[in-house]
Amino acid sequence: MANKEAIAYIGTYTKVESEGIYRLHIDKKTGEITQNKLAGKMDNPTYLKLTDDQKYLYSVAKDGENGGIAAFAVKEDGSLDYLNQEVQAGNPPCYVDASKDGAFVVSANYHLGTIVAYPTEKNGALKAPSSSVQHVGTGPNKERQEKAHAHFAGFTPDEKFVITCDLGTDYVTTYALNDGVLEKVSDLKVKGGSGPRNLVFHPKDKIAYIMTEMAADVVVAAYDEATGALTEVQSIASLPADFSGENKGSAIHISNDGRFLYVSNRGQDAVVTFAIDAEGKLSLAATTPVEGVGPRDFDLDPSGEILLVSNENTNNVTVFGVNKETGALTLLQKDIHVPEPVCVKFINE
């Protein structure tokens, strides 16, 4: 019998009210939050990654003037047991991912422009970094692209490579991770000044979708699993042509069946739905207001029945029902208080 509840962890900033990582239980039919409580304390755990076996959670971590990654064990009741952290001088990273077997964790650091790989212990604890790559470069936007700003680092579905997005240089770069060492194998240059921020792969086809922050365009790229190279095949706007306000593109996620792609825009304050055709190309399907300000992230639950949005600037999350046939979103719940929410990660059912 399918689970009636979905469970999500919320990563946050802890500048004002938040104390760390929160855990929400959501009724999938009504969107009602049946549990909302602190799961683990940490300074600025803005981005999270659960391992595939659900045993460990890795978060961005801030420790005084140092930044890095923290490791937690997930307990039976869903609370988080702190294991350890690996931090270095400077601002914390903004993204974290883990390999399917949990042997490696990778991070992207916006402020430092670095990609770092961490081996792990068998108990999920982090070891010291095995590799760090410094991105270098600029872009045409002098305010936002004065230097490299690595924003994403994630494993390819086949786990042969690590793909990175650099908002500051407009490059999407592929690395091999050989014996814990990151080695560059390929570059994709996207439109100058667009600021690639985040990326997701199609669940079945060899296609990557890249969300740009400054242009709010989605770049569709063919993925060559032999070489790790990405080749652009389409770029499509998520904003209407007459949109004139300030906006920052943020998150990007795809339905499990590969039929619909969703992105969020801060400024437009909406989730934008794209239909995906047989070739993997996109067409705009709908734009849905998020009932909040600053939708930093969102996620689809594993059943694909609900979509949860974290609205950073209004300290609330919004729950939408998902029509799996049309991709349409229907508002179920709004004004659910979570302090300074950034990242949403559902657990597997």
Side-chain angles (χ1 to χ4, degrees):
M1 186 175 174
N3 290 343
K4 294 181 179 178
E5 279 195 332
I7 301 169
Y9 289 99
I10 309 291
T12 69
Y13 278 109
T14 56
K15 298 173 183 176
V16 183
E17 179 190 348
S18 172
E19 295 183 81
I21 301 164
Y22 291 80
R23 179 179 165 105
L24 305 186
H25 289 229
I26 307 120
D27 184 304
K28 291 198 289 191
K29 190 168 185 179
T30 65
E32 182 184 353
I33 305 298
T34 59
Q35 186 184 117
N36 178 358
K37 63 183 183 182
L38 184 69
K41 288 195 173 186
M42 176 58 57
D43 277 354
N44 283 2
T46 53
Y47 208 85
L48 313 174
K49 173 64 181 181
L50 274 163
T51 55
D52 274 20
D53 61 11
Q54 315 287 287
K55 290 182 178 179
Y56 306 107
L57 182 145
Y58 297 99
S59 85
V60 169
K62 184 177 184 295
D63 185 2
E65 297 301 310
N66 297 326
I69 302 295
F72 296 86
V74 180
K75 297 164 77 172
E76 280 194 21
D77 66 356
S79 62
L80 301 174
D81 193 10
Y82 174 79
L83 296 174
N84 76 329
Q85 63 184 22
E86 280 290 334
V87 295
Q88 296 82 36
N91 291 87
C94 62
Y95 197 94
V96 58
D97 194 20
S99 59
K100 288 187 176 75
D101 63 4
F104 279 94
V105 171
V106 293
S107 69
N109 194 305
Y110 176 89
H111 297 279
L112 304 180
T114 53
I115 306 296
V116 181
Y118 304 82
T120 62
E121 305 279 4
K122 287 186 178 178
N123 70 349
L126 293 158
K127 296 181 183 179
S130 59
S131 184
S132 180
V133 175
Q134 177 69 60
H135 284 185
V136 178
T138 60
N141 185 316
K142 301 305 179 188
E143 289 184 5
R144 296 292 313 279
Q145 296 182 310
E146 79 291 357
K147 64 176 184 176
H149 288 299
H151 211 297
F152 171 90
F155 288 90
T156 55
D158 54 25
E159 301 224 309
K160 292 181 180 178
F161 303 102
V162 172
I163 305 270
T164 68
C165 294
D166 198 298
L167 185 148
T169 65
D170 295 316
Y171 274 101
V172 179
T173 302
T174 305
Y175 293 91
L177 184 61
N178 296 323
D179 297 323
V181 179
L182 292 161
E183 300 173 352
K184 187 166 90 167
V185 296
S186 182
D187 269 329
L188 168 65
K189 179 76 160 62
V190 298
K191 183 177 72 176
S194 61
R197 173 187 172 90
N198 214 325
L199 179 151
V200 68
F201 276 89
H202 194 284
K204 300 170 185 173
D205 300 328
K206 297 175 181 62
I207 299 169
Y209 299 93
I210 303 155
M211 181 59 175
T212 62
E213 178 168 320
M214 292 181 289
D217 295 338
V218 181
V219 178
V220 183
Y223 167 60
D224 185 329
E225 61 183 357
T227 65
L230 293 173
T231 305
E232 183 175 332
V233 295
Q234 183 191 16
S235 180
I236 183 170
S238 68
L239 293 172
D242 60 355
F243 185 88
S244 59
E246 288 188 17
N247 185 78
K248 294 178 182 178
S250 48
I252 182 167
H253 295 283
I254 194 167
S255 61
N256 285 340
D257 59 9
R259 294 177 60 195
F260 300 100
L261 185 83
Y262 300 89
V263 303
S264 53
N265 278 316
R266 297 166 291 169
Q268 185 190 39
D269 291 330
V271 170
V272 180
T273 307
F274 294 93
I276 303 174
D277 69 16
E279 296 179 341
K281 291 186 177 179
L282 304 177
S283 59
L284 186 68
T287 299
T288 308
V290 296
E291 307 294 336
V293 179
R296 187 71 172 259
D297 192 22
F298 64 91
D299 199 11
L300 293 148
D301 85 296
S303 71
E305 295 173 48
I306 60 170
L307 184 148
L308 179 69
V309 184
S310 59
N311 299 308
E312 180 188 357
N313 297 0
T314 41
N315 300 300
N316 75 304
V317 298
T318 312
V319 185
F320 293 94
V322 181
N323 183 319
K324 293 166 77 170
E325 291 303 311
T326 66
L329 303 179
T330 302
L331 180 66
L332 296 178
Q333 298 287 338
K334 59 179 181 177
D335 300 330
I336 299 156
H337 180 72
V338 176
E340 305 165 81
V342 178
C343 176
V344 181
K345 280 285 179 284
F346 278 102
I347 70 166
N348 293 334
E349 295 181 318

